[in-house]
Amino acid sequence: APPAQRHRRAWTPPVGGLEGAIDLFYSDTCFLDALALVVARHGRLVVEAYTRDESDRARKRNIQSATKSVTSLVFGIARDHGYFDDLDQPLAASLSESYAWDQEKRDITLRHLLTMTSGIAFDDDDFTVEILIDRPPDPVAHILQKRMYAEPGDSFYYRDADPHLLSAAVSHVTGETVEEIARRELFEPLGITDVHWEADGTGTTMGPFGLFLRPRDRAKLGELVLRRGRWGARQLVSEAWIDESTSAQVMADDPPTPYGFYWWIVPELDAFTALGHGGNYIFVAPEPELVIVLESLPHANADAGAPLDRFLRLARLIVSAAR
């Protein structure tokens, strides 16, 4: 691994793939707010770099919306255990009948939630304030009271409301929170012990964000998905769910990007990635058996952070070196 710290510098075109990727990571041109880079190949750590402090290796931070991909894994585990047999079943069948279900919302299915196509209009900035700061007595009812921007299934609209409804559905059907399932079925087998996962005011695990993990532990989750849900002798998540959730299910827009069940698909590299605000990635490329983790400060604006197109400049160099 390269030295834990290097002087920040402007980036120049790389001479070699992996060395160029490391130089790009340390530059202040593209990744000013980057904190950590972890690369694993064939299940072995090959690069570990930290821009500010070596102690960041042991510090857990919010993975932001990359949490959604972990929520997808937990939902897959619940499905493997016999819950949620049909993704096209109505959400209403997995939640309390006491909610005020109008006809449009009765048509929302689990698949709609997994593909961000429920049709519920609830922007992320409003969601964060209303759910975590205002703390309504029943967050699910609060979400379901929002107007519809489209018929369920008609239009992709990336936001936090859908995965939070999915988390609530998991809790209602299984009797356990998403965090409880994750700790027993994912984190413990993977040896991930330093974890924090935020919940709403009723104790429902935040489905869209709020999971805090260390960089190496993020890489373990990527490695699990790379191995199609297998860890050692145990199949933690079914191969079928890994394959389905990391395959294109719908097309996101601005720019057009294939989207799975809370995983972003990268066809040009035959890869997929969890993606969190500010530049937090768990990137998986199955053919070269490669996992890339980028950790960044969470509150960067679009120019200072690492949107997908900027991160892919880094990923292309590493994938090219691996191949």
Side-chain angles (χ1 to χ4, degrees), residues 12-316:
T12 56
V15 175
L18 188 56
E19 181 65 22
I22 295 168
D23 284 345
L24 177 58
F25 166 71
Y26 276 109
S27 77
D28 58 9
T29 304
C30 292
F31 297 103
L32 179 62
D33 293 287
L35 298 173
L37 175 68
V38 176
V39 181
R41 179 117 197 268
H42 301 313
R44 302 185 66 176
L45 187 66
V46 295
V47 170
E48 186 174 28
Y50 298 90
T51 59
R52 286 166 170 78
D53 194 322
E54 276 191 47
S55 66
D56 284 339
R57 177 186 288 113
R59 184 174 291 117
K60 64 179 180 292
R61 284 191 170 90
N62 195 338
I63 70 173
Q64 304 294 320
S65 283
T67 301
K68 294 179 175 70
S69 302
V70 184
T71 298
S72 176
L73 290 175
V74 176
F75 180 85
I77 291 170
R79 182 168 164 80
D80 294 341
H81 288 182
Y83 303 103
F84 308 111
D85 290 337
D86 183 5
L87 295 184
D88 295 310
Q89 73 181 49
L91 170 63
S94 300
L95 290 176
S96 172
E97 279 294 322
S98 64
Y99 293 117
W101 294 96
D102 58 49
Q103 187 53 53
E104 281 185 314
K105 293 188 177 73
R106 281 190 176 276
D107 292 336
I108 296 172
T109 67
L110 300 172
R111 188 182 302 276
H112 294 147
L113 298 182
L114 286 160
T115 55
M116 301 286 191
T117 59
S118 72
I120 298 174
F122 199 177
D123 290 334
D124 284 354
D125 288 345
D126 295 331
F127 177 91
T128 301
V129 172
E130 294 176 28
I131 299 300
L132 290 185
I133 297 177
D134 296 343
R135 299 176 77 83
D138 189 335
V140 170
H142 187 80
I143 296 171
L144 292 175
Q145 289 168 1
K146 297 294 180 178
R147 67 175 182 84
M148 300 287 285
Y149 73 91
E151 292 289 327
D154 281 358
S155 178
F156 177 90
Y157 175 24
Y158 183 87
R159 66 221 179 286
D160 295 333
D162 285 6
H164 198 56
L165 287 176
L166 191 75
S167 176
V170 170
S171 295
H172 190 267
V173 171
T174 68
E176 295 184 284
T177 67
V178 164
E179 179 185 5
E180 288 170 334
I181 298 171
R183 285 185 180 274
R184 184 184 65 252
E185 304 290 342
L186 274 181
F187 302 149
E188 183 178 337
L190 294 175
I192 298 174
T193 58
D194 192 6
V195 180
H196 174 69
W197 201 333
E198 295 177 340
D200 67 20
T202 64
T204 299
T205 305
M206 296 303 302
F209 55 74
L211 176 59
F212 289 67
L213 293 171
R214 296 178 296 189
R216 287 189 181 187
D217 290 336
R218 304 179 194 202
K220 287 182 179 180
L221 287 170
E223 190 68 26
L224 174 70
V225 179
L226 176 65
R227 299 179 189 181
R228 298 177 70 203
R230 191 169 188 84
W231 193 260
R234 293 182 59 183
Q235 191 75 38
L236 304 185
V237 191
S238 68
E239 291 183 357
W241 181 254
I242 296 295
D243 292 346
E244 187 174 10
S245 62
T246 60
S247 299
Q249 301 290 337
V250 68
M251 185 64 69
D253 50 15
D254 196 28
T257 307
Y259 192 68
F261 294 152
Y262 303 158
W263 290 90
W264 296 89
I265 315 303
V266 186
E268 65 167 291
L269 297 177
D270 294 322
F272 48 87
T273 188
L275 188 164
H277 175 70
N280 289 277
Y281 291 86
I282 304 172
F283 174 92
V284 179
E287 183 272 324
E289 294 188 46
L290 187 70
V291 173
I292 304 171
V293 168
L294 180 68
E295 178 184 80
S296 303
L297 293 171
H299 299 298
N301 60 38
D303 292 330
L308 183 58
D309 59 344
R310 190 171 301 165
F311 168 77
L312 290 180
R313 295 174 61 180
L314 182 73
R316 289 187 194 101

